[in-house]
Amino acid sequence: MSQIVLASGSPRRRELLERVGVTDFTVRVPEVEEYFPEGLTPPEVVSYISREKAEAAVKLCGPEDIVITADTMVFLDDQRLGKPRDEAHALEMLTALQGRKHTVCTGVSVCRGAKRLTETESTDVFFRPATEAQLRRYIATGEPMDKAGAYGVQGRGALLVERLEGDFFNVMGLPVLRLARMLENFGVSLL
């Protein structure tokens, strides 16, 4: 019997799976170095890493398990913004984002046995202009410190976002509609 395995330590991905009705799943986090070759576009980068995570995760699972992996990155002018090293780095990133558009890309892989599927979702996020004092107050909440791009759209970081073009849940780290459509290829219907 197939079991769904989320190969991610992200609490937001767990929460999103539960929000769309997937409550019977296990979490197994593979050890994967997030390396990618030079010269890839943002969607190619997240797809590459998602596939690498999937290859490592299937080794931890049974042949009938349905394995879900994802990798989300924030790109400003095609430059990757990871998680901030410290508060000064968070301020640097948020200052660069304020008043501008950036793109959040997620690569999602779903696997069972030898069957593999990888797709990407991209969402444009437009930040409103903010003052340094506002950004410092946001950083002082601690929310930005474990998030790519130094903000969480599902929390107080929403106050920095003027608008989105694309999938809101993608910005949280898991494009649930795309995932639902991918799971249908494995005989799993979420509706």
Side-chain angles (χ1 to χ4, degrees), residues 74 76 81 90 93-104 124-130 135 138 148-153 156-164 171:
V74 175
L76 178 64
L81 299 181
M93 282 195 269
L94 291 170
T95 299
L97 292 173
Q98 64 95 25
R100 298 186 61 198
K101 175 186 94 165
H102 63 278
T103 303
V104 177
D124 288 334
V125 181
F126 298 80
F127 263 31
R128 69 178 185 88
L135 297 178
Y138 175 57
Y151 73 97
V153 72
R156 290 183 182 170
L159 300 172
L160 301 172
V161 176
E162 192 169 87
R163 67 184 161 88
L164 296 169
V171 183

Side-chain angles (χ1 to χ4, degrees), residues 121-141:
E121 188 75 38
S122 295
T123 304
D124 288 334
V125 181
F126 298 80
F127 263 31
R128 69 178 185 88
T131 66
E132 182 177 329
Q134 290 170 325
L135 297 178
R136 286 186 183 282
R137 282 194 297 274
Y138 175 57
I139 292 166
T141 69

Side-chain angles (χ1 to χ4, degrees), residues 12-20 169 172 174 176:
R12 287 163 292 283
R13 290 190 181 120
R14 283 192 291 262
E15 175 191 343
L16 288 171
L17 271 185
E18 290 169 352
R19 280 188 186 188
V20 296
F169 299 107
M172 282 182 67
L174 191 64
V176 293

Side-chain angles (χ1 to χ4, degrees), residues 12-67:
R12 287 163 292 283
R13 290 190 181 120
R14 283 192 291 262
E15 175 191 343
L16 288 171
L17 271 185
E18 290 169 352
R19 280 188 186 188
V20 296
V22 181
T23 55
D24 187 19
F25 65 92
T26 60
V27 174
R28 293 195 188 113
V29 183
E31 295 281 329
V32 177
E33 184 180 332
E34 292 195 6
Y35 157 83
F36 54 91
E38 291 291 321
L40 299 180
T41 66
E44 290 169 338
V45 169
V46 294
S47 291
Y48 181 90
I49 294 174
S50 180
R51 281 192 300 272
E52 291 293 303
K53 289 179 178 180
E55 290 304 315
V58 295
K59 295 174 184 168
L60 305 174
C61 301
E64 292 302 310
D65 291 344
I66 297 171
V67 179

